Amino acid sequence: DQQVKQNSPSLSVQEGRISILNCDYTNSMFDYFLWYKKYPAEGPTFLISISSIKDKNEDGRFTVFLNKSAKHLSLHIVPSQPGDSAVYFCAASGGSGTYKYIFGTGTRLKVLA
Amino acid sequence: DTGVSQDPRHKITKRGQNVTFRCDPISEHNRLYWYRQTLGQGPEFLTYFQNEAQLEKSRLLSDRFSAERPKGSFSTLEIQRTEQGDSAMYLCASSLIQGSYNEQFFGPGTRLTVL
């Protein structure tokens, strides 16, 4: 039972354009969502998070949007840079102070120069 | 470097052998987590510690797996009688309980190959 889904295994975007990565979840108990970036041979690196009381969170070039009614979140990267090329995982957890994340299967982003 | 470290980075072993991995979390972090990642999948939760107490184990963690965190500092994950299905990246993460939501910081992982 895949509670967190990333339906696009890969995405290619031109440098300077917007990258939009999508994530869907099924568990309505999830109340904290995160995006991680992963380069080959490295562990996931935290990018940005959002709690369920918000519908948007921005950090520089990265913005996460949360649509609770649709159980959908997205990560926008503007402008995209070649160094953003990596695998992006969304993750979710349920309950304040909860301990474990449920990850999606990842989307490989390639930013073309 | 004050991040999460893991040792070894790579381990190749023969089926049936025992292996042990080590994780050193960020020093002030009181929670430590183990995840496993296989090809094409996201990390899957295995177990976590709050200080030295192991508070949950996933169903993925068979009785061949054991994890410890003596003194609430570093942690070890041991796999006994390894099987080819154990081949994966084993990731350690740590977090600091501060407020309601706390991001986890991951180490570089230990890649296990069971021949």
Side-chain angles (χ1 to χ4, degrees):
Chain A
D1 178 24
Q2 193 74 25
Q3 297 186 70
V4 178
K5 300 177 185 178
Q6 294 177 257
N7 292 319
S8 298
S10 63
L11 175 67
S12 292
V13 172
Q14 284 295 130
E15 181 180 6
R17 305 295 293 269
I18 184 170
S19 295
I20 300 176
L21 295 94
N22 294 303
C23 179
D24 297 293
Y25 62 96
T26 57
N27 190 337
S28 58
M29 295 298 292
F30 289 150
D31 65 352
Y32 185 50
F33 305 88
L34 310 94
W35 285 93
Y36 281 82
K37 178 169 72 173
K38 188 178 185 303
Y39 293 119
E42 294 184 12
T45 301
F46 170 73
L47 265 181
I48 193 169
S49 63
I50 188 167
S51 72
S52 59
I53 61 173
K54 296 184 175 182
D55 53 19
K56 177 182 174 181
N57 188 27
E58 275 184 270
D59 185 1
R61 297 186 298 114
F62 302 92
T63 302
V64 56
F65 295 91
L66 176 62
N67 182 333
K68 289 186 290 293
S69 60
K71 294 191 178 68
H72 177 83
L73 66 155
S74 60
L75 174 68
H76 292 209
I77 306 173
V78 183
S80 301
Q81 299 173 354
D84 296 329
S85 297
V87 178
Y88 289 78
F89 292 97
C90 72
S93 69
S96 173
T98 194
Y99 44 81
K100 66 182 179 184
Y101 294 166
I102 307 298
F103 282 86
T105 52
T107 296
R108 182 177 300 277
L109 174 65
K110 188 170 184 179
V111 180
L112 306 169
Chain B
D1 190 331
T2 57
V4 178
S5 62
Q6 293 187 245
D7 183 70
R9 295 290 306 274
H10 304 273
K11 178 71 177 178
I12 299 174
T13 191
K14 292 183 179 178
R15 188 175 52 190
Q17 298 293 304
N18 299 343
V19 294
T20 300
F21 310 141
R22 176 180 171 124
C23 171
D24 287 89
I26 294 171
S27 59
E28 65 270 23
H29 284 187
N30 45 16
R31 281 189 176 168
L32 185 148
Y33 314 78
W34 286 98
Y35 290 82
R36 181 173 71 185
Q37 185 177 16
T38 53
L39 196 63
Q41 300 297 315
E44 295 174 290
F45 171 79
L46 291 179
T47 188
Y48 96 103
F49 294 82
Q50 184 161 311
N51 300 314
E52 65 274 8
Q54 187 175 16
L55 297 185
E56 182 170 339
K57 295 193 290 187
S58 161
R59 289 173 294 173
L60 292 174
L61 214 65
S62 77
D63 55 9
R64 296 185 296 106
F65 289 69
S66 61
E68 294 183 343
R69 193 183 182 197
K71 303 177 185 177
S73 56
F74 71 92
S75 175
T76 58
L77 178 68
E78 181 184 15
I79 309 174
Q80 296 182 327
R81 305 181 304 281
T82 52
E83 301 173 355
Q84 288 185 324
D86 298 331
S87 296
M89 175 75 83
Y90 289 84
L91 294 162
C92 175
S94 68
S95 70
L96 175 67
I97 302 175
Q98 193 172 39
S100 299
Y101 303 106
N102 315 109
E103 60 264 23
Q104 297 175 17
F105 294 88
F106 283 82
T110 295
R111 180 167 295 284
L112 173 66
T113 302
V114 181
L115 302 176

